[in-house]
Amino acid sequence: LKRMSLALSTCRGLEISEVAKNLKEQVAACAQSDLLPPFAKLFDRIQQRLHGFSGDPIVDGLAAVRWCCDHGLIQQGYTLLEELLFSAVLLETGHDIQNREHRKIVSQAFYILEKNCVENPDRWKDTSNNHLDMTRRFIDVIRSKGDLYKKCSQIREFRNDLNHAGHNPSAKTLKSAGRFAYDLQKLISDVERILVPLS
């Protein structure tokens, strides 16, 4: 549980599936032992909370974001959700999700769609221009996901506001800051509907 909590609070996206799998196995083993009744209920509750983790990187990523939202880790939730979008595109196109340059190009592909400059590569950043075919492939995949690029734009706006501690002109006021959690829950559902349509 400590490792799971640490993985989520420090946004260790690549480790979450493995940590959740190990925790599920340990909880199942503990549930089979002679437990005092209060502990049996505790392990049942932990098993219920881990039910959403299936071993699939996209499903587990969404479960992790939902966990963050449920436990007040709002900033981590937005960070994990945006990075999950990049990973989803890289997985679908067969690219390494740990390749930093590819992640940057995916991020730029989302931005290109957001700014409606697909047909104007002269407005793209150098990294995208240096990898035109890859960028266009990423754009095609993102386009095939309907309004996913709009969801990414919303996630980015909230993530930047949180990561820069509200020190920018468009920052949420304290009065509207309470919407971070509400909007994160809605974005999780929207992204899940797009990335895991059979759920």
Side-chain angles (χ1 to χ4, degrees):
L1 274 171
K2 183 177 179 180
R3 285 187 66 215
M4 183 73 169
S5 177
L6 192 60
L8 293 166
S9 67
T10 59
C11 297
R12 305 298 89 196
L14 295 174
E15 297 175 35
I16 289 170
S17 285
E18 186 63 29
V19 172
K21 179 181 172 227
N22 290 339
L23 181 55
K24 283 174 93 167
E25 290 169 358
Q26 291 176 5
V27 169
C30 288
Q32 299 301 317
S33 63
D34 293 332
L35 291 171
L36 294 171
F39 288 109
K41 289 180 182 178
L42 175 64
F43 281 104
D44 284 345
R45 185 154 184 199
I46 295 169
Q47 284 179 315
Q48 288 172 5
R49 291 296 296 141
L50 292 170
H51 179 72
F53 293 89
S54 67
D56 177 273
I58 303 303
V59 173
D60 286 0
L62 288 164
V65 177
R66 192 168 277 113
W67 181 299
C68 287
C69 193
D70 291 346
H71 293 88
L73 300 172
I74 306 305
Q75 183 172 3
Q76 292 89 333
Y78 278 105
T79 298
L80 288 168
L81 190 55
E82 185 179 14
E83 295 297 330
L84 177 67
L85 298 185
F86 303 159
S87 293
V89 173
L90 290 166
L91 286 168
E92 185 160 332
T93 56
H95 287 87
D96 180 3
I97 63 170
Q98 294 186 54
N99 184 302
R100 190 173 181 179
E101 186 171 44
H102 292 174
R103 294 188 78 79
K104 187 184 281 189
I105 296 168
V106 170
S107 175
Q108 290 174 12
F110 274 104
Y111 190 76
I112 288 165
L113 282 162
E114 178 189 340
K115 295 301 176 187
N116 196 23
C117 61
V118 174
E119 305 305 326
N120 303 96
D122 54 304
R123 292 176 53 195
W124 299 4
K125 292 188 178 180
D126 287 344
T127 311
S128 300
N129 263 316
N130 293 337
H131 298 87
L132 287 172
D133 290 341
M134 184 184 294
T135 304
R136 287 193 173 108
R137 174 73 178 117
F138 292 159
I139 288 170
D140 288 343
V141 168
I142 296 165
R143 275 181 164 163
S144 75
K145 307 291 182 200
D147 64 350
L148 186 64
Y149 76 94
K150 292 179 183 176
K151 301 304 171 192
C152 186
S153 177
Q154 292 174 296
I155 294 163
R156 223 176 248 183
E157 179 187 337
F158 286 117
R159 179 182 180 180
N160 286 339
D161 192 330
L162 289 163
N163 287 353
H164 296 290
H167 290 283
N168 58 41
S170 62
K172 304 277 181 226
T173 64
L174 191 55
K175 187 176 180 182
S176 62
R179 291 197 54 101
F180 281 115
Y182 173 82
D183 288 333
L184 179 57
Q185 284 194 347
K186 182 165 181 358
L187 285 163
I188 294 167
S189 296
D190 292 344
V191 169
E192 185 172 40
R193 174 182 46 80
I194 296 166
L195 295 183
V196 192
L198 299 177
S199 65

